[in-house]
Amino acid sequence: MRATKKQIAVITVLNLVIAALIALFVYFKTPLFRSASSETDDGAGGGNNGTITDGDGTTNVDTPPQQSVHNKLRDAASGKVKEIAYETRLMGTGDESVVFATAIGGVTYIFGNAVVPDYDFDSSGGFLCRIGSNGKILGFSYFIGKLTAVGVIDGGFGAATVADAGTEDEKSQLFGVTGDGEITPLFELEGAAVDVMPIMGSKKMAVVCRISSGTLKLTEYTRAGTGWAVGKSTRMSNGLSIEYFDCYYVDGEYIVSARASSGAEYDTLLFYTFAAGGEPTSHYPGGSDEKPYAVVPFGSGYLALCEKEGNAAIVTFGKKFTSYSRDRLDVKSTDGRLFFCGGKYYACFVTKSGAVTYEIDGSLDMTKTLTKLDGVGLAAVVSMDSNLFVGASSTAVTVTDCAEISATLDVNDVKISRVIKTGYNELLIVLTAKGGGALSDSTGGDDVYVISVKL
């Protein structure tokens, strides 16, 4: 079929248009379309200002400018003050919190909860962030639900969550986590976990769950090949409201410490002792009107901080809970924390005007008040050349050896979660805060900061 003159004219015009487009493409060497994978990731706050540089150095305008991608796996920032070597900030517009933090093999592991899925966080709820020894973020992992307890166990970590809390769909779960951040569901739990602890010298862990306000349950789990098997469990209940403190494993027996109360009528320190699967025995060594704050074991028994008739008190119990002594102090306290380091105990009482810390020697005699910590809530004691104390007020973090102040860092609304010795005169401090003069600005609520402090 022969084309008409009109058809030939149309075909000729189309060929000229196509040839012109090809010539323009070759001349400018710019693709007509760019895939998302060709965009540059310049990190948080970065951008390429709408330009693209070709391999031969030719710069072309990219219209409209492409939005930069938030870089989650970024290097640490330089410290804003001379005492901070570097800062790694985990950012989100909600109030992020830390549940557990530790450093193993040069990697810092931060387990916490995010409220809003933005910036660093792909989802709300539990997260794990792994940070390298130089402060670089190595990766994030996410959990189903909110983290309630984490512990170091054989093969990595045990992490417990609760999802849909307070509803009929509430679900508590135990996960195994490797050092590379791989998460494996292990078991459903009865109640929200308050502690995950290894059983030293064995391939076992124990998980303590709160079943109700007055009932705790401890379950053993045993390493079985690459997985875990459920072992024996024990319930602890006595009709009182129970606030869990800690759990110890001594000579095949568990000792659980807690606060037991019933309104204003009854408030005391409670110990449960039992073998896994056995019936627990309750011990009330301090009477019925001694509000406990904290408890730690010592050589011949247990040491506790309490409030007795409005005044702070230091109380000791024998291993069998038959002996008892109390030293009442002229301090009106509202809370307290206990620490042990370098053969000495340190009792920090929180008061309305701040905090006061006492040093207690190995024979449990109070030797002095640590005046360098006046008003500072003690958060950690670390063994260096001498014991180093790290604490916080509402506006600052203080580091001192109690002979002189080593560092005072301007930080807003700080809560210290963990202090780790990483080298000679070097500390890694994990905290939540709303920025401050020593830190990068917060994204709105509480951000998580990991700072390396050089002393």
PDB file of all heavy atoms in Angstrom, residues 266-281:
ATOM      1  N   TYR A 266       0.262  -0.781 106.413  1.00  0.00           N
ATOM      2  CA  TYR A 266       1.326  -1.779 106.400  1.00  0.00           C
ATOM      3  C   TYR A 266       2.324  -1.440 105.316  1.00  0.00           C
ATOM      4  O   TYR A 266       1.957  -1.195 104.177  1.00  0.00           O
ATOM      5  CB  TYR A 266       0.731  -3.161 106.146  1.00  0.00           C
ATOM      6  CG  TYR A 266       1.648  -4.313 106.498  1.00  0.00           C
ATOM      7  CD1 TYR A 266       1.626  -4.877 107.762  1.00  0.00           C
ATOM      8  CD2 TYR A 266       2.537  -4.831 105.561  1.00  0.00           C
ATOM      9  CE1 TYR A 266       2.464  -5.933 108.087  1.00  0.00           C
ATOM     10  CE2 TYR A 266       3.378  -5.879 105.872  1.00  0.00           C
ATOM     11  CZ  TYR A 266       3.333  -6.418 107.144  1.00  0.00           C
ATOM     12  OH  TYR A 266       4.165  -7.460 107.476  1.00  0.00           O
ATOM     13  N   ASP A 267       3.618  -1.405 105.651  1.00  0.00           N
ATOM     14  CA  ASP A 267       4.665  -1.109 104.681  1.00  0.00           C
ATOM     15  C   ASP A 267       5.955  -1.712 105.197  1.00  0.00           C
ATOM     16  O   ASP A 267       6.430  -1.349 106.286  1.00  0.00           O
ATOM     17  CB  ASP A 267       4.817   0.402 104.498  1.00  0.00           C
ATOM     18  CG  ASP A 267       5.357   0.758 103.116  1.00  0.00           C
ATOM     19  OD1 ASP A 267       5.958  -0.117 102.485  1.00  0.00           O
ATOM     20  OD2 ASP A 267       5.170   1.911 102.689  1.00  0.00           O
ATOM     21  N   THR A 268       6.560  -2.637 104.454  1.00  0.00           N
ATOM     22  CA  THR A 268       7.730  -3.335 104.974  1.00  0.00           C
ATOM     23  C   THR A 268       8.564  -3.927 103.854  1.00  0.00           C
ATOM     24  O   THR A 268       8.123  -4.042 102.700  1.00  0.00           O
ATOM     25  CB  THR A 268       7.298  -4.463 105.914  1.00  0.00           C
ATOM     26  OG1 THR A 268       8.460  -5.003 106.583  1.00  0.00           O
ATOM     27  CG2 THR A 268       6.612  -5.579 105.166  1.00  0.00           C
ATOM     28  N   LEU A 269       9.789  -4.319 104.208  1.00  0.00           N
ATOM     29  CA  LEU A 269      10.659  -5.042 103.299  1.00  0.00           C
ATOM     30  C   LEU A 269      10.330  -6.527 103.392  1.00  0.00           C
ATOM     31  O   LEU A 269      10.213  -7.089 104.486  1.00  0.00           O
ATOM     32  CB  LEU A 269      12.123  -4.804 103.667  1.00  0.00           C
ATOM     33  CG  LEU A 269      13.182  -5.418 102.756  1.00  0.00           C
ATOM     34  CD1 LEU A 269      13.061  -4.901 101.333  1.00  0.00           C
ATOM     35  CD2 LEU A 269      14.578  -5.120 103.295  1.00  0.00           C
ATOM     36  N   LEU A 270      10.170  -7.159 102.234  1.00  0.00           N
ATOM     37  CA  LEU A 270       9.770  -8.561 102.160  1.00  0.00           C
ATOM     38  C   LEU A 270      10.810  -9.343 101.366  1.00  0.00           C
ATOM     39  O   LEU A 270      11.290  -8.880 100.327  1.00  0.00           O
ATOM     40  CB  LEU A 270       8.399  -8.664 101.475  1.00  0.00           C
ATOM     41  CG  LEU A 270       7.948 -10.045 100.981  1.00  0.00           C
ATOM     42  CD1 LEU A 270       7.739 -11.003 102.156  1.00  0.00           C
ATOM     43  CD2 LEU A 270       6.665  -9.912 100.160  1.00  0.00           C
ATOM     44  N   PHE A 271      11.160 -10.539 101.868  1.00  0.00           N
ATOM     45  CA  PHE A 271      12.011 -11.468 101.131  1.00  0.00           C
ATOM     46  C   PHE A 271      11.262 -12.776 100.923  1.00  0.00           C
ATOM     47  O   PHE A 271      10.621 -13.286 101.851  1.00  0.00           O
ATOM     48  CB  PHE A 271      13.307 -11.769 101.899  1.00  0.00           C
ATOM     49  CG  PHE A 271      14.251 -10.607 102.011  1.00  0.00           C
ATOM     50  CD1 PHE A 271      14.163  -9.710 103.068  1.00  0.00           C
ATOM     51  CD2 PHE A 271      15.244 -10.400 101.054  1.00  0.00           C
ATOM     52  CE1 PHE A 271      15.039  -8.648 103.188  1.00  0.00           C
ATOM     53  CE2 PHE A 271      16.124  -9.334 101.166  1.00  0.00           C
ATOM     54  CZ  PHE A 271      16.027  -8.452 102.228  1.00  0.00           C
ATOM     55  N   TYR A 272      11.335 -13.308  99.704  1.00  0.00           N
ATOM     56  CA  TYR A 272      10.871 -14.666  99.421  1.00  0.00           C
ATOM     57  C   TYR A 272      12.104 -15.536  99.179  1.00  0.00           C
ATOM     58  O   TYR A 272      13.024 -15.133  98.454  1.00  0.00           O
ATOM     59  CB  TYR A 272      10.011 -14.712  98.161  1.00  0.00           C
ATOM     60  CG  TYR A 272       8.646 -14.095  98.288  1.00  0.00           C
ATOM     61  CD1 TYR A 272       8.354 -12.881  97.681  1.00  0.00           C
ATOM     62  CD2 TYR A 272       7.623 -14.744  98.981  1.00  0.00           C
ATOM     63  CE1 TYR A 272       7.091 -12.319  97.765  1.00  0.00           C
ATOM     64  CE2 TYR A 272       6.354 -14.187  99.074  1.00  0.00           C
ATOM     65  CZ  TYR A 272       6.100 -12.982  98.454  1.00  0.00           C
ATOM     66  OH  TYR A 272       4.841 -12.428  98.545  1.00  0.00           O
ATOM     67  N   THR A 273      12.138 -16.723  99.740  1.00  0.00           N
ATOM     68  CA  THR A 273      13.203 -17.683  99.454  1.00  0.00           C
ATOM     69  C   THR A 273      12.568 -18.985  98.970  1.00  0.00           C
ATOM     70  O   THR A 273      11.561 -19.436  99.525  1.00  0.00           O
ATOM     71  CB  THR A 273      14.061 -17.959 100.698  1.00  0.00           C
ATOM     72  OG1 THR A 273      13.223 -18.428 101.770  1.00  0.00           O
ATOM     73  CG2 THR A 273      14.771 -16.695 101.159  1.00  0.00           C
ATOM     74  N   PHE A 274      13.180 -19.601  97.926  1.00  0.00           N
ATOM     75  CA  PHE A 274      12.610 -20.833  97.372  1.00  0.00           C
ATOM     76  C   PHE A 274      13.561 -21.430  96.343  1.00  0.00           C
ATOM     77  O   PHE A 274      14.408 -20.737  95.769  1.00  0.00           O
ATOM     78  CB  PHE A 274      11.257 -20.560  96.698  1.00  0.00           C
ATOM     79  CG  PHE A 274      11.309 -19.509  95.620  1.00  0.00           C
ATOM     80  CD1 PHE A 274      11.525 -19.852  94.288  1.00  0.00           C
ATOM     81  CD2 PHE A 274      11.150 -18.160  95.928  1.00  0.00           C
ATOM     82  CE1 PHE A 274      11.576 -18.884  93.296  1.00  0.00           C
ATOM     83  CE2 PHE A 274      11.205 -17.187  94.950  1.00  0.00           C
ATOM     84  CZ  PHE A 274      11.418 -17.548  93.632  1.00  0.00           C
ATOM     85  N   ALA A 275      13.419 -22.731  96.102  1.00  0.00           N
ATOM     86  CA  ALA A 275      14.028 -23.381  94.950  1.00  0.00           C
ATOM     87  C   ALA A 275      13.013 -23.328  93.813  1.00  0.00           C
ATOM     88  O   ALA A 275      11.796 -23.290  94.057  1.00  0.00           O
ATOM     89  CB  ALA A 275      14.383 -24.829  95.278  1.00  0.00           C
ATOM     90  N   ALA A 276      13.493 -23.294  92.575  1.00  0.00           N
ATOM     91  CA  ALA A 276      12.587 -23.185  91.431  1.00  0.00           C
ATOM     92  C   ALA A 276      11.566 -24.319  91.464  1.00  0.00           C
ATOM     93  O   ALA A 276      11.920 -25.498  91.608  1.00  0.00           O
ATOM     94  CB  ALA A 276      13.373 -23.235  90.132  1.00  0.00           C
ATOM     95  N   GLY A 277      10.296 -23.962  91.372  1.00  0.00           N
ATOM     96  CA  GLY A 277       9.221 -24.945  91.412  1.00  0.00           C
ATOM     97  C   GLY A 277       8.708 -25.238  92.807  1.00  0.00           C
ATOM     98  O   GLY A 277       7.652 -25.850  92.974  1.00  0.00           O
ATOM     99  N   GLY A 278       9.444 -24.776  93.836  1.00  0.00           N
ATOM    100  CA  GLY A 278       9.027 -25.034  95.213  1.00  0.00           C
ATOM    101  C   GLY A 278       8.167 -23.918  95.771  1.00  0.00           C
ATOM    102  O   GLY A 278       8.030 -22.841  95.189  1.00  0.00           O
ATOM    103  N   GLU A 279       7.612 -24.167  96.948  1.00  0.00           N
ATOM    104  CA  GLU A 279       6.795 -23.156  97.615  1.00  0.00           C
ATOM    105  C   GLU A 279       7.690 -22.080  98.230  1.00  0.00           C
ATOM    106  O   GLU A 279       8.702 -22.403  98.856  1.00  0.00           O
ATOM    107  CB  GLU A 279       5.943 -23.802  98.714  1.00  0.00           C
ATOM    108  CG  GLU A 279       4.783 -24.629  98.184  1.00  0.00           C
ATOM    109  CD  GLU A 279       3.777 -23.758  97.447  1.00  0.00           C
ATOM    110  OE1 GLU A 279       3.452 -22.647  97.939  1.00  0.00           O
ATOM    111  OE2 GLU A 279       3.335 -24.173  96.366  1.00  0.00           O
ATOM    112  N   PRO A 280       7.345 -20.807  98.068  1.00  0.00           N
ATOM    113  CA  PRO A 280       8.182 -19.748  98.634  1.00  0.00           C
ATOM    114  C   PRO A 280       7.933 -19.566 100.128  1.00  0.00           C
ATOM    115  O   PRO A 280       6.816 -19.760 100.619  1.00  0.00           O
ATOM    116  CB  PRO A 280       7.732 -18.511  97.859  1.00  0.00           C
ATOM    117  CG  PRO A 280       6.308 -18.776  97.520  1.00  0.00           C
ATOM    118  CD  PRO A 280       6.207 -20.267  97.292  1.00  0.00           C
ATOM    119  N   THR A 281       8.984 -19.192 100.842  1.00  0.00           N
ATOM    120  CA  THR A 281       8.878 -18.819 102.254  1.00  0.00           C
ATOM    121  C   THR A 281       9.004 -17.309 102.366  1.00  0.00           C
ATOM    122  O   THR A 281       9.909 -16.715 101.784  1.00  0.00           O
ATOM    123  CB  THR A 281       9.983 -19.486 103.081  1.00  0.00           C
ATOM    124  OG1 THR A 281       9.859 -20.905 102.962  1.00  0.00           O
ATOM    125  CG2 THR A 281       9.874 -19.096 104.547  1.00  0.00           C
TER     126      THR A 281
END
